[in-house]
């Protein structure tokens, strides 16, 4: 199986890029009528170059300065660059600008073609070659071969192919199993094929997609839809699957073609997430010589997307040419990116390339400028160490937590690396795994500690407010937390505190493990018996002194025991006796119902209504007056005005 890679052209207008691609592949990439008429390339074109061991998907880009935006859409994700310089024109502005863009996009391999060699003599060729060497001295092309070619005479074409194969061989393989990577394709074209519907094309940036797959389709308004891959092509040939390094045509089932555009992306479900704010490492281009100021309006090119926005420099006021800064980009439309993804910034009027850099947070919220603690975490996201990056990404995930699948996007960790790394982080206590219903969520250990602290603090407060209650209602504890987030996560943190023996309790009630309850175990057993006796006795309850014998050695604690039963909402104090909480509620219900629409009731009538004795009826009536259920009217009780 030949290895698939993407080859992209670059270079000034009219320097012979399209002609050279035709000489290499036989394909004329200028397919638009306007391109034919004007003799220039306007939008990107595609061809395929078979080099035996390698199969290169060729993206031919326009050189015109007005179409740099299209060049950028084509240059995204190329593995090998073919920089074209005409021997009769030498290095020109877009030679430099395209080279700079390739550098910013992180292209590592390439070959230089000195085109139209038939038009100049040997001396001119040598002079131009020297100029080229000088231009690329500070770039990935510093040691690249310069091959003199002519499409008229055929000079150098075979040599160029051989050099391209050598450059392709130097493109590093993904170490781990690349087919486990999430699929990702930035859309660069969308059109309709009669009888087939909407087709989009793009270079596969990672992973594999097969016919029948369901993918996420991300749109610039930040929405995402699930689509089904109806069929696939590679350079027009139907295929069952497409993989990284290939050009792909994806036929989307049931998608209207006018809603599909360049800049949108297809990916494995759940892999990408849209954001209008990115945190980035931003460099101002040295070669193109312009400072980037705080709040500068910019045009972001990332993937095949082009979005207007504003720069916020996080630790300085301007970035001079050749320097870098941490920054945030605030965008007018959503983009889908991943950690480490390269981008290019141009000025808002699309005349100059200003610089570019790498995404550090693909989904970000506003970071306060010069906020040292946060900036230190952002710096960690630039670390070479996977562990440091995951740690920082986990911290930024705040209380929402994260899953292993999020780490590709957030920290540049592939699925094959994630498992082992997370095992280490869990074992060393840097990350905590929480079991939520139906899913596991990982939480940064510091964030987890913060939540635990808040839960323990609230409970400490509740214990102090009510030192008699042995436990507190779990829902009430959580309701008092200053926490906006996933309720299920809080429950999981609470469960973990119980498992870790820092809380006691169950799914309903909790207490701090270090809280000393007022009652001993025996006293609590006695309390249960007292409550039980009150429940059975209804409206004619026993009195505390009736329990002195039963209490024996605990007789002195009877006052506390009753107080705890009241604090726990089990008994209600009426006078020198108590009712069970159920009897008290039933009593209020019966009296209210009886008095409603009646002229009033005497104590004797209320006594009979409750089936109790005068000894209890009088204090009960006074309790009802006191608590605002009834009021006196001579000898009668009537409903209180407020009832
Ligand atoms: N004599 C000579 N002319 C060439 C050669 N290669 C290209 N040309 C001519 O140069 C002109 C521009 O060639 P293109 O291939 O369209 O140039 P390009 O770089 O694709 O131009 P843009 O895409 O618009 O930037 C055409 O008229 C070609 O015929 C060559 O090797 N020798
Ligand atoms: Mg062209």
């Amino acid at each position: 199986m030949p290895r698939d890679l993407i080859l992209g052209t670059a270079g000034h207008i009219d320097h012979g890029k399209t002609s050279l691609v035709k000489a290499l592949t036989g394909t004329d990439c200028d397919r638009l009528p306007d391109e034919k008429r004007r003799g220039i390339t306007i939008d990107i074109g595609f061809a395929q170059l078979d080099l035996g061991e390698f199969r290169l998907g060729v993206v031919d880009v326009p050189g015109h300065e007005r179409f740099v935006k299209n060049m950028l859409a084509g240059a995204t994700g190329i593995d090998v660059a073919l920089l074209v310089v005409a021997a009769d024109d030498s290095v020109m502005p877009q030679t430099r600008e395209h080279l700079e863009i390739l550098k910013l996009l992180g292209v590592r391999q390439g070959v230089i073609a000195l085109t139209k060699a038939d038009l100049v003599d040997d001396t001119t060729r040598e002079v131009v070659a020297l100029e080229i060497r000088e231009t690329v001295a500070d770039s990935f092309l510093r040691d690249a071969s310069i091959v003199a070619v002519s499409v008229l005479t055929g000079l150098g074409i075979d040599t160029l192919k051989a050099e391209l194969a050598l450059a392709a061989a130097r493109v590093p393989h993904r170490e781990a199993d690349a087919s486990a990577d999430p699929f990702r394709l930035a859309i660069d074209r969308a059109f309709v094929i009669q009888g087939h519907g909407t087709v989009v094309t793009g270079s596969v940036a990672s992973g594999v997609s097969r016919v029948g797959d369901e993918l996420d389709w991300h749109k610039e308004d930040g929405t995402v839809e699930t689509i089904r891959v109806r069929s696939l092509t590679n350079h027009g040939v139907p295929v069952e699957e497409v993989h990284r390094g290939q050009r792909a045509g994806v036929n989307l089932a049931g998608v209207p073609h006018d809603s599909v555009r360049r800049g949108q992306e297809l990916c494995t479900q759940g892999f990408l997430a849209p954001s209008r704010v990115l945190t980035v490492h931003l460099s101002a281009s040295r070669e193109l010589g312009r400072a980037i100021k705080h709040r500068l309006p910019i045009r972001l090119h990332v993937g095949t997307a082009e979005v207007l926005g504003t720069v916020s420099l996080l630790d300085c006021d301007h970035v001079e040419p050749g320097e870098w800064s941490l920054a945030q980009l605030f965008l007018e439309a959503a983009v889908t990116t991943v950690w480490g993804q390269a981008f290019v910034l141009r000025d808002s009027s699309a005349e100059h390339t200003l610089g570019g850099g790498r995404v550090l947070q693909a989904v970000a919220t506003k970071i306060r400028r010069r906020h040292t603690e946060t900036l230190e975490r952002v710096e960690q996201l630039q670390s070479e160490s996977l562990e440091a990056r995951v740690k920082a990404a986990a911290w930024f995930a705040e209380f929402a937590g994260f899953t292993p699948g999020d780490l590709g996007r957030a920290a540049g960790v592939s699925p094959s690396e994630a498992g082992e790394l997370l095992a280490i982080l869990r074992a060393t206590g840097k990350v905590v795994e929480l079991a939520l219903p139906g899913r596991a969520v990982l939480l940064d250990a510091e964030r987890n500690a913060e939540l635990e602290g808040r839960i323990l603090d609230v409970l400490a407060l509740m214990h102090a407010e009510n030192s008699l209650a042995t436990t507190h209602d779990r829902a009430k504890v959580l309701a008092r937390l200053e926490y906006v987030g996933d309720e299920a996560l809080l429950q999981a943190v609470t469960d973990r505190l119980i498992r870790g023996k820092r809380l006691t309790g169950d799914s309903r009630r909790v207490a701090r493990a270090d809280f000393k309850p007022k009652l001993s175990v025996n006293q609590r057993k006695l309390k249960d018996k007292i409550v039980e006796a009150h429940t059975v006795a209804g409206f004619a309850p026993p009195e505390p002194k009736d329990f002195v014998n039963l209490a024996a050695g605990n007789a002195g604690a009877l006052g506390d025991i009753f107080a705890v039963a009241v604090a726990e909402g089990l008994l209600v104090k009426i006078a020198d006796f108590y009712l069970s909480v159920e009897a008290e509620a039933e009593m209020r219900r019966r009296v209210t119902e009886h008095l409603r629409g009646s002229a009033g009731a005497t104590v004797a009538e209320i006594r009979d209504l409750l089936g109790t004795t005068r000894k209890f009826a009088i204090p009960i009536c006074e309790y009802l007056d006191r608590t605002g259920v009834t009021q006196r009217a001579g000898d009668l009780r009537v409903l209180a005005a407020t009832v």
Side-chain angles (χ1 to χ4, degrees), residues 9-10 42-44 59-78 97-98 100-105 186-188 262 299-306 342-347 350 352-356:
T9 63
I42 293 170
D43 208 347
I44 42 183
V59 181
D60 179 42
V61 308
H64 196 298
E65 60 176 326
R66 279 194 41 222
F67 305 133
V68 173
K69 57 184 272 167
N70 294 339
M71 180 271 174
L72 273 153
T76 189
I78 70 175
E97 189 170 17
H98 283 197
E100 184 64 14
I101 286 169
L102 296 176
K103 275 162 67 179
L104 290 168
L105 291 178
I187 295 174
D188 53 31
R262 176 176 289 177
R299 186 176 289 267
L300 167 72
H301 291 267
V302 68
T304 54
E306 177 187 3
F343 64 89
V344 171
L345 289 191
R346 303 193 83 222
D347 66 332
H352 309 287
T353 297
L354 303 173

Side-chain angles (χ1 to χ4, degrees), residues 2 192 216 228 260 325 344 352 367 448 484 498 550 632 638:
V192 173
D216 278 350
R228 194 174 53 78
V260 189
S325 164
V344 171
H352 309 287
I367 290 174
N448 179 64
V484 192
I498 295 174
L550 180 67
R632 293 188 70 144
V638 295

Side-chain angles (χ1 to χ4, degrees), residues 287-511:
E287 282 67 21
L288 305 178
R290 273 185 175 77
I292 299 176
K293 293 190 184 64
H294 179 58
R295 293 177 154 251
L296 183 75
I298 47 87
R299 186 176 289 267
L300 167 72
H301 291 267
V302 68
T304 54
E306 177 187 3
V307 183
L308 289 170
T310 314
V311 176
S312 169
L313 298 176
L314 291 176
D315 52 5
C316 59
D317 294 320
H318 42 84
V319 187
E320 296 299 329
E323 293 184 347
W324 69 271
S325 164
L326 296 175
Q328 287 200 301
L329 305 178
F330 293 90
L331 306 170
E332 289 180 7
V335 291
T336 40
T337 61
V338 297
W339 179 91
Q341 186 169 349
F343 64 89
V344 171
L345 289 191
R346 303 193 83 222
D347 66 332
S348 54
S349 52
E351 283 168 16
H352 309 287
T353 297
L354 303 173
R358 298 278 168 172
V359 172
L360 297 175
Q361 287 185 300
V363 178
T365 51
K366 185 176 166 56
I367 290 174
R368 252 197 301 149
R369 297 182 72 210
R370 305 183 207 274
H371 188 266
T372 322
E373 192 200 349
T374 314
L375 287 184
E376 273 169 21
R377 308 277 183 174
V378 175
E379 265 169 34
Q380 286 297 300
L381 284 172
Q382 314 189 72
S383 168
E384 286 289 310
S385 147
L386 283 187
E387 194 180 315
R389 286 189 335 242
V390 169
K391 184 81 187 68
W395 187 82
F396 278 111
E398 301 192 352
F399 300 134
F402 62 99
T403 65
D406 293 332
L407 290 183
R409 180 179 66 239
V413 179
S414 70
S416 49
E417 293 163 329
E420 197 182 327
L421 188 64
L422 285 171
I424 293 171
L425 289 171
R426 274 200 305 268
T428 52
K430 293 189 174 121
V431 156
V432 166
E433 184 166 354
L434 296 169
L436 271 55
R439 67 203 167 101
V441 165
L442 294 150
L443 201 60
D444 171 58
E446 288 174 58
R447 298 293 193 184
N448 179 64
E450 199 178 328
L451 277 185
E452 288 182 347
R454 289 198 202 174
I455 293 170
L456 291 167
D457 286 352
V458 163
L459 257 173
L461 207 66
M462 290 171 80
H463 283 310
E465 284 168 2
N466 187 348
S467 62
L468 295 174
T470 318
T471 60
H472 292 278
D473 186 331
R474 187 162 159 162
K476 286 193 185 136
V477 176
L478 298 188
R480 280 180 69 165
L481 289 179
E482 275 174 52
Y483 167 81
V484 192
D486 193 344
E487 160 83 20
L489 189 97
L490 271 188
Q491 297 288 5
V493 173
T494 310
D495 285 337
R496 200 166 170 279
L497 281 169
I498 295 174
R499 275 202 310 282
K501 306 221 183 316
R502 297 171 67 199
L503 292 184
T504 57
D506 52 30
S507 61
R508 283 194 325 107
R509 298 189 68 85
V510 285

Side-chain angles (χ1 to χ4, degrees), residues 102-330:
L102 296 176
K103 275 162 67 179
L104 290 168
L105 291 178
V107 179
R108 311 288 315 150
Q109 297 299 334
V111 178
I112 302 164
L114 184 58
T115 52
K116 310 195 190 183
D118 56 283
L119 294 182
V120 299
D121 56 29
D122 285 355
T123 323
T124 313
R125 256 191 238 175
E126 272 163 38
V127 171
V128 173
L130 280 175
E131 274 188 50
I132 295 173
R133 275 276 167 254
E134 216 174 288
T135 308
V136 302
D138 192 22
S139 79
F140 66 98
L141 291 177
R142 105 182 42 86
D143 301 319
S145 311
I146 300 179
V147 185
V149 294
S150 166
V151 302
L152 291 193
T153 65
L155 170 82
I157 299 295
D158 287 335
T159 315
L160 182 59
K161 284 185 184 173
E163 289 295 338
L164 286 171
L166 288 174
R170 286 193 296 266
V171 174
H173 278 273
R174 281 267 294 104
E175 282 162 30
D177 176 15
S179 64
D181 288 344
F183 175 76
R184 186 174 182 200
L185 177 148
I187 295 174
D188 53 31
R189 273 189 308 165
F191 48 86
V192 173
I193 295 182
Q194 213 60 48
H196 291 269
T198 301
V199 174
V200 299
T201 68
S203 304
V204 181
S206 69
V208 178
S209 175
R210 296 183 180 82
V211 173
D213 278 358
E214 297 212 315
L215 299 174
D216 278 350
W217 164 35
H218 285 276
K219 294 181 272 183
E220 57 281 353
D221 61 3
T223 59
V224 51
E225 276 181 41
T226 305
I227 53 93
R228 194 174 53 78
V229 177
R230 187 193 276 165
S231 62
L232 290 166
T233 55
N234 171 233
H235 294 287
V237 179
V239 288
E240 276 305 303
E241 64 165 60
V242 288
H243 55 254
R244 198 221 160 274
Q246 286 189 315
R247 291 288 310 166
V250 187
N251 185 192
L252 305 177
V255 172
H257 96 283
D258 55 1
S259 55
V260 189
R261 267 178 285 286
R262 176 176 289 177
Q264 301 174 340
E265 282 203 70
L266 301 180
C267 69
T268 299
Q269 292 184 298
F271 173 48
L272 297 173
S275 181
R276 286 174 192 249
V277 184
L278 303 178
T279 308
V280 300
H281 174 110
L282 173 63
S283 305
S285 164
R286 190 199 317 274
E287 282 67 21
L288 305 178
R290 273 185 175 77
I292 299 176
K293 293 190 184 64
H294 179 58
R295 293 177 154 251
L296 183 75
I298 47 87
R299 186 176 289 267
L300 167 72
H301 291 267
V302 68
T304 54
E306 177 187 3
V307 183
L308 289 170
T310 314
V311 176
S312 169
L313 298 176
L314 291 176
D315 52 5
C316 59
D317 294 320
H318 42 84
V319 187
E320 296 299 329
E323 293 184 347
W324 69 271
S325 164
L326 296 175
Q328 287 200 301
L329 305 178
F330 293 90

Side-chain angles (χ1 to χ4, degrees), residues 9 14 16-19 29-30 35 39-43 60-63:
T9 63
D14 236 16
K17 297 179 287 297
T18 306
S19 307
C29 290
D30 285 348
E35 291 178 323
I40 61 165
T41 304
I42 293 170
D43 208 347
D60 179 42
V61 308

